[in-house]
Amino acid sequence: MLLSDLKTGEKGIIVKVNGSGAFRKRILEMGFIKGKTIKVILNAPLKDPIKYKIMDYEVSLRRSEARLIEIVYPDINKKEEVKSVHNSFNISTSDEQEPISPIAKKTTNSKKVITVALVGNPNAGKTSLFNIASGAHEHVGNYGGVTVDSKEGKFKHGGYTFRIVDLPGTYSLSAYTPEELYVRNHIVEEKPDVVINIVASSNLERNLYLTTELIDMEVPMVIALNMYDELEQGGSEFNYQKLSKMIGIPMIPTVAKTGVGIGELFDAAIRIYEDKEPIVRRVHIYYGNTVENAISKLNIQLEKLKDIKLLFPRRYISVKLLEKDKDVEKYVNSFPSNKELFALRDAEVKNIEDTLKEDTESVLTDARYGFVAGGLKETLKGKTNESDATSLIDAVVTHKYLGFPLFFFFMWVMFECTFRLGGYPMEWIESGVELLGNFVRGVMSDGMLKDLIVDGIIGGVGGVIVFLPNILILYAFISFMEDSGYMARAAFIMDKVMHKMGLHGKSFIPLVMGFGCNVPAILASRTIESRNSRMITMLINPFMSCSARLPVYLLFVGVFFKSYASLVLFGLYVVGILLAVISARLFKRYLFPEEDTPFVMELPPYRIPTVRSVSIHMWDKSRQYLRKMGGVILVASIIIWFLGYFPQNEERETQFDNQIALVETQFNQNTISETDKDDQIEQIEDLRNIEHQENSYIGRIGKTVEPVMRPLGFDWKISVSLLSGMAAKEVVVSTLGVLYTGDPDNQESLKARISNDVQPDGALTFTPLVVLSLLLFVLIYFPCVATIVAIKEESGSWKWGAFSIIYTTGLAWIISFAVFQIGSLF
Ligand code: GDP
Ligand code: MG
């Protein structure tokens, strides 16, 4: 029978995994091997995907994928323990004097720097360990794939300087995903002095699979038994000293969250580096007679290549050749005698598959899992790791009827808090900025410098700084969702919906992150394995309205749609999401019409986010925001001010001065009253302002693009603001702040200035219709330079960067055009 036939709560034993390629490989590595028990935990609200428990961890699969796994439905639904196929502990110590592994760097141990690479499964705590050891503030999250880049840190310990690198999480070191390849290349090319293999102790069986691959690569290694606190809480007893001796690798229990064991861990790393660790012993994973025979034959063939300095240990190359590893095949292809090698390999693969009636990938995976199971059998007691809290929470948040309402409720709370709660500190900052502006205006003497400071700097930067509270709150929520593990559940319940769009449940995470900032969100789409889904996710990400667009919305919504502000804001986000959905379907249909990836995703147990990690994340984001304030926005404000201030036209100024003088004279001769005089002077000043701005550099630029923007309802000032917003969307607000200067004797808030601004013909510049058209335009057009660069980097070509610019800006124009033109009819 098939895995998909099992009902909730039932168990089955895996007999065979069908399917092909990446899916099969991944699923084998994640522990779906012959003889393992698998249990159905629950269905997502839309009946798909399904959450299973295997090897003590939880993973979700789509129904279509579960159909590829054959199981037997035995009476184990009563009986508990299932025997694994291989559970004898098979180690062969290598006594043949092989040359030292090419990866184990031969060092003279004289330099005082030790390079360390952190390698481990997603969510094992690598980044937490990296942070606590090096004092860095990298982002941790409770789901797979938060770290997508490598990060380097430095610190001193035990007389050495450690240079440690935090690598992306991987389940294995085969070459199926970019991460796996990346980590393997890092180990081969950078040759770290010591590899710290971080293992989640709460789920040893699956985590140690990666360890077996590292053993094959013969890297100098220490194992960090991280999350040891969770293992102990679960009531398990783990004789790690014994296992450590058996496999010849030091193991150190750690709790990266609090720092327990970190010192000992790096002490062990030093002993490895100095060759003083007594435990170290080279062991081999024993793959069974048939495979071992094949490995020996291949080894002999490889040995003949005396003049080639191999990148990997011989045994590793042989094993990977048998496993049909594409990357190693490519490497071997570069050898002169590759034909014989491949011929031998093919013959051996055929022999193994005929003898064992199974393909080599499963044979080798089984053997590795057998190795792990054997080791744990003798050392780990009482291992069932039933996290009651997690299953309880999951029963609620992924419930058939409650799942979606709860999800939307959380989203709603997030928005309400961001906008409503954030509104209070925003008002305080706003009045602070106003006070500062008026104060400076009062104390400084007239002149260019005063204009620059008040109109350019305070007007520009001040207009943006007020949104800091909103951004802090938004990030607090995003970071809480990531850290607790809820984000992975959101992906779980959303998978069916995302699948309809041609995407993957995992695409959901980058899309939600896009509400914070599109740039890290685009980087986060790296965890999606299929290139097609990844490309679509990246290209629609700009429609997720990022926090930089928020200031623009808040400014206009606060003035023009005050009584139903939340609704309009929510509407904007929804429009963005709808456009993303429609675009995704279009892209899927016309640009990337291929099969999508399997939905194999680990669902980590819920963890209470530490105040520390949430606040670090918030702090980092606000620092970035403030840095933008001091950088891009300040510079942009000054440039915009400059372009608006110059050229000064003496002749015109004198004309206006003369007109004012004339009014003064009339008043002195008592031909007009005092109020008349003031009115007239104000009119002249207004005219002077308008004339000046229109003739300034920026006015000319604006006038040039105005014809294109007019049909959308935008005057030249709005056009200029939108142009400047290409650097970063917040700049739209600061530019408006500089351009709409308003009454020079009163530093009114920007809100007041825009609501009073009139066109030369006396009509208000901003009507609700213009504002609506503008808001949509800001939502949709050119995301920002950084986003485009991120798309280019991640897609590997400028083509997609350019595509994104044209697509978004074109779409923005069409939609704003339609809204403004149709709206004008009423
Ligand atoms: P990475 O994906 O390997 O980089 O893992 P992270 O460092 O992002 O951590 C994953 C999750 O595990 C986070 O929620 C951490 O707070 C949590 N975590 C990390 N180390 C420990 C630990 O030793 N004990 C416990 N209980 N939780 C931990
Ligand atoms: Mg990480």
Side-chain angles (χ1 to χ4, degrees):
M1 85 190 268
L2 303 176
L3 180 56
S4 51
D5 302 332
L6 277 188
K7 297 194 181 59
T8 306
E10 288 182 340
K11 290 181 181 173
I13 298 178
I14 297 175
V15 281
K16 192 163 175 223
V17 177
N18 297 312
S20 60
F23 167 72
R24 180 152 192 279
K25 184 81 187 162
R26 161 55 48 94
I27 206 119
L28 288 174
E29 287 162 4
M30 289 186 82
F32 288 71
I33 53 168
K34 201 157 99 182
K36 285 289 162 202
T37 309
I38 184 160
K39 183 178 175 190
V40 186
I41 306 289
L42 53 81
N43 283 261
L46 301 175
K47 291 270 169 236
D48 204 4
I50 305 163
K51 183 167 96 169
Y52 294 100
K53 182 160 202 161
I54 185 164
M55 284 196 178
D56 256 3
Y57 76 97
E58 291 177 348
V59 64
S60 68
L61 287 184
R62 286 194 188 127
R63 200 168 280 278
S64 55
E65 290 150 11
R67 251 177 242 132
L68 296 172
I69 298 172
E70 291 179 24
I71 55 157
V72 284
Y73 182 76
D75 20 282
I76 54 140
N77 285 309
K78 286 165 231 122
K79 221 169 34 171
E80 260 306 308
E81 195 52 34
V82 200
K83 274 226 170 86
S84 164
V85 189
H86 304 261
N87 53 6
S88 53
F89 194 58
N90 295 321
I91 291 182
S92 67
T93 315
S94 61
D95 25 34
E96 15 150 1
Q97 270 308 315
E98 278 188 55
I100 190 96
S101 152
I103 290 167
K105 197 167 20 179
K106 190 71 193 152
T107 45
T108 50
N109 291 0
S110 63
K111 57 175 180 168
K112 288 296 230 180
V113 178
I114 303 182
T115 56
V116 173
L118 301 181
V119 178
N121 280 192
N123 222 32
K126 295 175 296 300
T127 304
S128 306
L129 200 146
F130 175 84
N131 285 350
I132 206 138
S134 66
H137 289 172
E138 287 308 324
H139 180 38
V140 301
N142 193 17
Y143 66 90
V146 173
T147 311
V148 288
D149 250 333
S150 61
K151 291 272 155 48
E152 213 182 281
K154 253 191 209 164
F155 66 97
K156 289 205 161 51
H157 178 81
Y160 283 96
T161 301
F162 278 89
R163 271 190 30 221
I164 78 174
V165 180
D166 183 21
L167 292 169
T170 56
Y171 293 107
S172 89
L173 291 180
S174 52
Y176 272 104
T177 64
E179 282 86 38
E180 290 174 353
L181 202 55
Y182 185 93
V183 173
R184 185 155 92 188
N185 287 343
H186 181 92
I187 295 175
V188 175
E189 282 158 20
E190 306 290 323
K191 296 193 178 46
D193 295 320
V194 181
V195 167
I196 293 186
N197 176 207
I198 299 176
V199 160
S201 314
S202 43
N203 181 6
L204 285 165
E205 196 169 5
R206 200 209 55 225
N207 274 258
L208 287 172
Y209 181 86
L210 178 64
T211 313
T212 63
E213 295 223 42
L214 291 168
I215 292 177
D216 273 347
M217 282 181 88
E218 298 171 20
V219 294
M221 168 162 59
V222 185
I223 294 175
L225 294 169
N226 194 37
M227 306 196 180
Y228 209 75
D229 53 331
E230 289 190 354
L231 177 114
E232 283 176 329
Q233 269 164 28
S236 305
E237 267 175 53
F238 182 33
N239 187 348
Y240 64 87
Q241 294 95 335
K242 186 170 172 192
L243 184 61
S244 171
K245 285 214 188 75
M246 284 157 82
I247 61 175
I249 303 166
M251 289 181 151
I252 315 287
T254 59
V255 182
K257 229 171 164 169
T258 55
V260 174
I262 305 299
E264 290 87 331
L265 181 68
F266 285 95
D267 289 342
I270 293 176
R271 287 199 301 277
I272 295 277
Y273 180 75
E274 292 179 341
D275 259 338
K276 287 182 188 149
E277 173 61 55
I279 279 179
V280 171
R281 191 163 61 101
R282 182 108 59 85
V283 300
H284 281 163
I285 314 288
Y286 178 69
Y287 289 103
N289 267 336
T290 326
V291 179
E292 288 295 334
N293 266 337
I295 295 176
S296 310
K297 285 187 199 161
L298 284 166
N299 276 352
I300 292 170
Q301 194 74 17
L302 282 169
E303 229 168 298
K304 291 186 189 147
L305 304 165
K306 282 242 159 29
D307 36 332
I308 298 179
K309 203 167 160 295
L310 294 178
L311 268 181
F312 303 93
R314 265 203 308 274
R315 186 179 163 87
Y316 185 78
I317 298 180
S318 305
V319 169
K320 284 292 157 187
L321 278 178
L322 290 174
E323 246 179 319
K324 304 160 197 156
D325 182 293
K326 293 275 174 306
D327 189 53
V328 170
E329 281 178 359
K330 213 163 77 198
Y331 170 61
V332 170
N333 240 330
S334 66
F335 296 170
S337 58
N338 59 46
K339 289 234 165 50
E340 293 146 54
L341 210 53
F342 278 119
L344 178 63
R345 192 276 305 259
D346 294 343
E348 290 302 324
V349 166
K350 185 161 185 312
N351 180 28
I352 296 171
E353 295 185 345
D354 286 350
T355 318
L356 301 177
K357 302 272 173 292
E358 238 183 313
D359 59 292
T360 50
E361 285 107 313
S362 350
V363 172
L364 291 163
T365 314
D366 277 3
R368 292 199 188 100
Y369 267 117
F371 177 89
V372 173
L376 289 178
K377 193 173 183 219
E378 296 178 32
T379 52
L380 183 64
K381 297 276 168 299
K383 59 168 208 168
T384 22
N385 168 30
E386 295 283 350
S387 165
D388 293 337
T390 293
S391 34
L392 201 70
I393 300 175
D394 267 356
V396 178
V397 300
T398 60
H399 185 266
K400 213 181 338 178
Y401 303 118
L402 292 177
F404 279 107
L406 272 176
F407 171 68
F408 289 115
F409 174 73
F410 291 147
M411 292 287 135
W412 178 79
V413 169
M414 177 167 109
F415 279 87
E416 272 297 302
C417 289
T418 306
F419 304 126
R420 205 166 290 232
L421 224 57
Y424 299 104
M426 183 171 152
E427 274 170 29
W428 307 331
I429 300 180
E430 202 170 30
S431 30
V433 170
E434 240 175 86
L435 281 177
L436 182 70
N438 283 334
F439 171 75
V440 173
R441 195 181 290 281
V443 294
M444 283 183 72
S445 52
D446 280 351
M448 196 179 104
L449 188 64
K450 173 173 160 178
D451 292 340
L452 170 67
I453 291 177
V454 176
D455 296 332
I457 298 177
I458 300 180
V461 175
V464 185
I465 207 161
V466 299
F467 302 103
L468 187 61
N470 304 98
I471 286 168
L472 276 176
I473 296 173
L474 185 66
Y475 272 106
F477 274 94
I478 290 183
S479 140
F480 189 87
M481 287 205 298
E482 285 182 349
D483 263 19
S484 62
Y486 183 69
M487 206 68 121
R489 272 66 186 188
F492 177 69
I493 63 174
M494 291 299 288
D495 181 65
K496 189 153 183 193
V497 180
M498 303 305 279
H499 198 51
K500 288 240 155 67
M501 292 162 59
L503 293 174
H504 186 274
K506 265 193 185 172
S507 306
F508 185 73
I509 293 164
L511 293 179
V512 170
M513 283 172 71
F515 290 133
C517 173
N518 295 151
V519 177
I522 285 169
L523 298 184
S525 29
R526 249 191 228 181
T527 51
I528 305 162
E529 278 129 48
S530 116
R531 181 178 153 83
N532 284 337
S533 298
R534 196 163 64 229
M535 286 300 306
I536 300 175
T537 310
M538 280 185 324
L539 290 175
I540 63 171
N541 208 298
F543 294 124
M544 297 296 119
S545 191
C546 69
S547 58
R549 278 167 253 196
L550 199 54
V552 190
Y553 302 160
L554 290 175
L555 174 68
F556 285 101
V557 169
V559 178
F560 294 91
F561 304 105
K562 208 167 188 140
S563 41
Y564 35 96
S566 288
L567 195 70
V568 173
L569 276 170
F570 192 68
L572 280 168
Y573 280 84
V574 170
V575 169
I577 294 169
L578 284 179
L579 288 174
V581 173
I582 296 166
S583 307
R585 298 201 66 145
L586 285 177
F587 295 165
K588 172 83 183 165
R589 179 106 186 244
Y590 296 106
L591 297 177
F592 306 102
E594 262 163 60
E595 265 311 286
D596 52 347
T597 29
F599 186 70
V600 198
M601 190 182 70
E602 200 184 336
L603 295 166
Y606 286 99
R607 300 198 166 94
I608 299 169
T610 53
V611 178
R612 190 168 164 269
S613 79
V614 173
S615 43
I616 284 178
H617 195 201
M618 270 171 67
W619 165 237
D620 274 356
K621 290 300 161 197
S622 33
R623 221 180 34 186
Q624 277 169 21
Y625 190 73
L626 289 173
R627 207 180 291 147
K628 254 197 208 169
M629 220 63 63
V632 189
I633 294 175
L634 180 65
V635 172
S637 298
I638 293 177
I639 293 176
I640 301 283
W641 174 85
F642 179 88
L643 292 176
Y645 199 75
F646 293 103
Q648 298 277 16
N649 187 328
E650 291 298 328
E651 205 177 307
R652 204 174 59 231
E653 294 297 313
T654 340
Q655 259 178 28
F656 281 112
D657 284 346
N658 290 344
Q659 282 183 27
I660 290 175
L662 189 71
V663 178
E664 298 270 356
T665 338
Q666 281 174 344
F667 173 64
N668 290 339
Q669 292 166 349
N670 285 330
T671 39
I672 53 171
S673 71
E674 176 150 8
T675 35
D676 275 350
K677 179 198 84 170
D678 287 349
D679 276 355
Q680 286 186 15
I681 292 184
E682 201 181 307
Q683 270 180 16
I684 297 169
E685 287 288 358
D686 276 354
L687 257 175
R688 186 216 293 266
N689 259 338
I690 292 171
E691 282 266 314
H692 172 76
Q693 282 193 334
E694 292 202 353
N695 289 297
S696 66
Y697 294 121
I698 205 151
R700 295 176 202 172
I701 300 174
K703 293 268 167 182
T704 317
V705 291
E706 197 180 6
V708 186
M709 305 303 263
R710 249 303 146 199
L712 317 184
F714 306 158
D715 72 349
W716 63 268
K717 294 183 195 178
I718 302 179
S719 309
V720 169
S721 308
L722 291 172
L723 278 178
S724 65
M726 287 162 67
K729 292 261 163 112
E730 301 99 322
V731 178
V732 171
V733 174
S734 59
T735 309
L736 290 169
V738 178
L739 287 181
Y740 292 98
T741 41
D743 183 352
D745 289 330
N746 178 13
Q747 181 70 8
E748 294 171 289
S749 76
L750 181 54
K751 284 181 180 172
R753 282 181 267 150
I754 57 168
S755 53
N756 297 330
D757 192 79
V758 285
Q759 293 290 295
D761 62 3
L764 280 173
T765 309
F766 293 97
T767 63
L769 184 61
V770 173
V771 169
L772 194 62
S773 164
L774 175 62
L775 288 176
L776 286 168
F777 197 86
V778 169
L779 166 68
I780 307 165
Y781 88 114
F782 191 105
C784 71
V785 175
T787 303
I788 296 297
V789 173
I791 292 180
K792 179 241 153 189
E793 290 289 322
E794 292 299 305
S795 66
S797 106
W798 275 114
K799 194 176 92 186
W800 293 113
F803 173 81
S804 178
I805 297 175
I806 295 166
Y807 184 78
T808 52
T809 311
L811 191 64
W813 196 89
I814 293 170
I815 289 182
S816 290
F817 179 82
V819 165
F820 185 71
Q821 294 300 330
I822 295 172
S824 303
L825 297 179
F826 298 102

